[in-house]
Amino acid sequence: MSSSPQNPRTLRFSLAAAGRVLYSSLPNGGRVTTIETDVLVIGSGLAGLMCALRLGRESGVFLASKSDLSESNTRYAQGGIACVISAEDSIESHVQDTLSTGGGLCREDVVRAIIGAGPAHVQALEALGISFKRRMEDEEAYDLGQEGGHSHRRVLHAGDITGQELIRVLLEEVGKIPAVTMRPHLMAIDLVTTGWLGLPGENRCLGAYFLDRDTGEILAVRARATVLATGGAGKVYLYTSNPDGATGDGMALAWRAGLPILNMEFVQFHPTCLYHPQAKSFLISEAVRGEGGRLINSAGESFIERADPRGSLAPRDIVARAIDHEMKTRGDPCVYLDITRKSVRFLKDRFPTLYKTCHQFGIDMAADPIPVVPAAHYFCGGVQAGIDGATAMPGLYAIGETACTGLHGANRLASNSLLEALVCSTRAAQTLLENPGASAPPRVAIPDWRPGDAVPSDEAVVVEHNWNEVRTCMWDYVGIVRTNKRLERALRRIQNIRREIKTYYHSYLVNADLLELRNIAAVAECIIRCAMQRQESRGLHYSLDAPTPDRLHPAHDTLLQDPPGGPVSAMDALERQGV
Ligand SMILES: Cc1cc2nc3c(=O)[nH]c(=O)nc-3n(C[C@H](O)[C@H](O)[C@H](O)COP(=O)(O)OP(=O)(O)OC[C@H]3O[C@@H](n4cnc5c(N)ncnc54)[C@H](O)[C@@H]3O)c2cc1C
């Protein structure tokens, strides 16, 4: 069917260089608008924007993001990008720090490739207009930050708004490329694959279904290649440093499509989120400890040294566990980060946003220790992918925090994640440009979205209740310290909730809250099942039942791969459509 010129949305899309409209649509069901593009990029964080930027000069790109384009985990990154710049530092030293933090599970070839590529990629960022901070006393030298686990100062930053700067510059640059169409408020629901359509041959990705959050309509995008750049999943936990959209959508989409998912038990808890009733997810950067901030308990005593001689500069997992232990033993709701030894001038210059935000909450960083608690921060696991984002499914790529490349192993070295997103997004774009026709999808129509008997929901309270239940259950039973019994209890609860969500999903028209709930519950189950597979403590996974690494067997990844439509990954969207 041809596109309808009467439909203003259709008209808007037809004008877009990257997307050609094939069908018109009806609200939340019926005929879907299908947009044709060369490469579909899902997500507008560092990974998605950089990939679109590198592709867009030579290829048509449709970039969809579920919130405003500037919203992502990237935007909140404060510390910076780890990269070897100083003459006193070396690639080998950065490699060794990464391997040693990774608890024996990093892939050394991946570590060497990503870290080795760092300096050139950082230069490329500077060429785009990102300016990393220089020293006050010497404008020629970078002001390099020091973070836990790094043996040298090597974190490039733009004050404490590094992420904001990256997004600002990249949005501006991508916005200049006519071949890239960027669409906010389009939320990917599920991948469309040939296997799902029952086509013979290898299972490959054809694109994805989207919910237009502004109109409630369902769209489809058909693409030669689909790039998942949907970020992390901090919202699976009650307390998190992540913004609201970090619901693990890409991981859940890929899992439902039958892709291998790795190492989901390795959730990094940031040791220091601001503890204040009105502060939502506000992170106190690790760089504060790098500048001499000391963790103390409510009695004013240092306590991290009992767990690690490096004290407040020990890697995050050790610090977070020590804080958790201190809070539980003393019955305190938080601990404190004391940087009062630094002057107001220094703090205002080095941490302008932190200083201002703390001040808004009545805390003077130069005079008062800052109340802090640990919170879910970063996912080392995700969709199994190569450095160029290639996944097990032809036509599907995963980059950034959604992917698991093997860089982080069992624990991420601070500020290595922006570096990974930067390098892997560029490599993915290179691969796609070098093989333009390598994986042309079959010319099949994406089926219409059939809502069945679904009606608008009049029970939003059920969604809200289940959101809270998933997050509380994960915080209480699958948090910083785990046991077999807690994991079993959590699995039972999450599977029950998933059954309830499935019924709900079939009964009501989809909206963003329901889709995100479905995804956090799926990711929660992935985390628990990976944690149950790991009968040892390693890196970020700590179990009281097996408190040391298993030295009898070689270190191994945990792997989940359920066939699409299998007992756990049953693809609800398909069932809903009666396929
Ligand atoms: C507070 C904070 C501070 C941090 N500080 C640092 C630091 O200093 N250094 C460092 O290296 N790392 C840091 N990190 C981690 C780092 O920011 C992230 O790992 C990295 O930015 C991930 O980039 P990304 O592009 O993969 O994902 P993101 O930046 O999270 O982008 C994901 C994008 O996908 C979109 N999206 C998600 N689901 C869907 C869907 N279903 N449909 C459409 N769009 C979707 C989102 O809206 C978003 O635009 C920090 C993280 C946080 C939360």
Side-chain angles (χ1 to χ4, degrees):
M1 176 183 269
S2 62
S3 59
S4 154
Q6 280 81 24
N7 180 343
R9 290 177 50 255
T10 304
L11 198 59
R12 181 149 48 99
F13 286 133
S14 352
L15 291 172
R20 193 161 62 85
V21 175
L22 299 183
Y23 311 104
S24 61
S25 74
L26 296 171
N28 214 330
R31 269 261 118 93
V32 288
T33 298
T34 299
I35 295 162
E36 281 246 319
T37 185
D38 197 21
V39 181
L40 165 64
V41 176
I42 309 177
S44 59
L46 172 59
L49 286 173
M50 185 52 83
C51 187
L53 178 70
R54 297 303 179 209
L55 279 168
R57 302 207 191 276
E58 294 175 50
S59 170
V61 177
F62 187 87
L63 182 148
S65 203
K66 70 176 175 181
S67 305
D68 291 342
L69 293 169
S70 60
E71 182 62 359
S72 59
N73 272 6
T74 302
R75 175 182 166 181
Y76 299 92
Q78 297 175 352
I81 304 181
C83 181
V84 175
I85 291 287
S86 150
E88 288 134 42
D89 196 1
S90 70
I91 296 284
E92 190 54 33
S93 162
H94 191 178
V95 166
Q96 290 309 325
D97 289 347
T98 303
L99 294 174
S100 121
T101 304
L105 271 189
C106 298
R107 281 195 46 189
E108 190 168 337
D109 55 333
V110 170
V111 173
R112 289 192 181 280
I114 292 179
I115 287 172
H121 282 75
V122 160
Q123 261 178 21
L125 277 183
E126 288 189 304
L128 289 173
I130 311 264
S131 74
F132 292 109
K133 202 138 197 242
R134 309 282 170 147
R135 279 201 215 143
M136 268 198 260
E137 63 283 5
D138 176 7
E139 269 298 302
E140 290 297 297
Y142 289 101
D143 179 36
L144 296 172
Q146 168 98 48
E147 296 190 335
H150 288 277
S151 55
H152 286 85
R153 283 191 168 264
R154 62 166 74 100
V155 182
L156 288 151
H157 61 90
D160 57 3
I161 52 163
T162 308
Q164 218 172 295
E165 269 302 283
L166 286 169
I167 296 297
R168 183 186 66 77
V169 170
L170 287 174
L171 275 177
E172 206 174 291
E173 289 302 309
V174 177
K176 291 178 192 161
I177 307 177
V180 181
T181 300
M182 287 195 280
R183 273 292 313 270
H185 307 162
L186 272 194
M187 177 172 185
I189 303 173
D190 265 310
L191 297 169
V192 181
T193 65
T194 51
W196 171 55
L197 295 180
L199 297 175
E202 67 178 355
N203 192 15
R204 57 153 297 136
C205 186
L206 297 174
Y209 281 115
F210 286 88
L211 168 71
D212 183 331
R213 295 176 72 172
D214 294 332
T215 62
E217 284 169 305
I218 307 293
L219 314 171
V221 179
R222 190 166 69 190
R224 171 172 74 86
T226 298
V227 182
L228 285 174
T230 46
K235 292 298 277 190
V236 169
Y237 286 90
L238 190 59
Y239 299 111
T240 176
S241 66
N242 291 191
D244 285 346
T247 47
D249 297 1
M251 299 159 181
L253 261 72
W255 187 43
R256 284 196 290 268
L259 276 110
I261 307 292
L262 295 183
N263 291 348
M264 291 294 283
E265 71 278 31
F266 297 128
V267 179
Q268 188 165 63
F269 289 83
H270 196 289
T272 53
C273 256
L274 182 60
Y275 178 74
H276 189 281
Q278 266 107 49
K280 195 178 164 201
S281 318
F282 188 71
L283 186 83
I284 306 294
S285 163
E286 188 150 297
V288 174
R289 282 180 286 134
E291 298 298 348
R294 220 169 38 103
L295 282 158
I296 52 174
N297 60 23
S298 54
E301 302 155 351
S302 281
F303 58 91
I304 309 287
E305 291 73 10
R306 281 183 237 135
D308 192 291
R310 286 168 288 186
S312 292
L313 277 181
R316 284 180 181 173
D317 56 324
I318 295 173
V319 177
R321 231 173 11 248
I323 295 177
D324 188 62
H325 179 76
E326 195 69 11
M327 283 166 52
K328 287 195 173 124
T329 339
R330 297 182 64 86
D332 287 341
C334 66
V335 295
Y336 298 86
L337 184 54
D338 184 357
I339 183 99
T340 54
R341 65 181 71 180
K342 292 286 184 187
S343 68
V344 172
R345 182 163 170 258
F346 174 86
L347 292 172
K348 276 187 169 168
D349 180 70
R350 177 68 179 88
F351 305 113
T353 313
L354 267 183
Y355 188 87
K356 203 166 118 205
T357 308
C358 284
H359 214 264
Q360 278 164 3
F361 291 117
I363 302 158
D364 176 358
M365 284 174 77
D368 313 316
I370 310 163
V372 290
V373 282
H377 184 57
Y378 183 82
F379 278 68
C380 293
V383 184
Q384 186 177 34
I387 300 176
D388 66 354
T391 68
M393 182 180 281
L396 183 69
Y397 293 73
I399 51 176
E401 193 167 339
T402 295
C404 179
T405 61
L407 171 69
H408 309 299
N411 191 2
R412 174 188 70 134
L413 182 66
S415 290
N416 265 358
S417 40
L418 287 177
L419 180 67
E420 183 188 43
L422 182 63
V423 173
C424 295
S425 53
T426 309
R427 288 279 181 100
Q430 275 164 358
T431 298
L432 283 163
L433 291 175
E434 279 160 16
N435 307 291
S439 51
R443 305 273 316 154
V444 284
I446 293 184
D448 294 338
W449 183 264
R450 279 183 244 145
D453 298 329
V455 293
S457 166
D458 56 359
E459 282 193 89
V461 67
V462 176
V463 173
E464 196 195 322
H465 180 83
N466 280 337
W467 255 92
N468 293 337
E469 205 169 330
V470 170
R471 300 180 68 206
T472 310
C473 170
M474 292 302 286
W475 185 260
D476 288 343
Y477 300 140
V478 198
I480 297 173
V481 176
R482 300 161 181 174
T483 66
N484 290 339
K485 215 182 223 169
R486 288 182 204 162
L487 292 178
E488 280 158 20
R489 194 173 293 154
L491 185 63
R492 275 198 303 275
R493 292 201 178 181
I494 295 295
Q495 286 184 333
N496 271 340
I497 295 171
R498 288 194 73 210
R499 271 190 286 276
E500 207 168 290
I501 294 169
K502 199 165 165 179
T503 312
Y504 196 93
Y505 184 78
H506 284 253
S507 309
Y508 296 107
L509 296 178
V510 296
N511 60 42
D513 285 345
L514 175 58
L515 294 174
E516 287 185 340
L517 169 64
R518 177 173 171 247
N519 291 335
I520 59 165
V523 171
E525 180 162 337
C526 290
I527 299 169
I528 300 166
R529 287 176 58 198
C530 282
M532 288 173 115
Q533 278 184 37
R534 188 165 294 286
Q535 287 302 313
E536 61 169 349
S537 288
R538 183 181 293 277
L540 297 165
H541 173 74
Y542 184 79
S543 167
L544 290 175
D545 294 315
T548 54
D550 176 356
R551 303 209 190 280
L552 297 177
H553 302 97
H556 65 280
D557 291 325
T558 53
L559 167 71
L560 285 183
Q561 185 170 23
D562 294 310
V568 178
S569 65
M571 200 160 164
D572 304 333
L574 309 192
E575 291 177 12
R576 176 189 194 122
Q577 298 194 46
V579 177

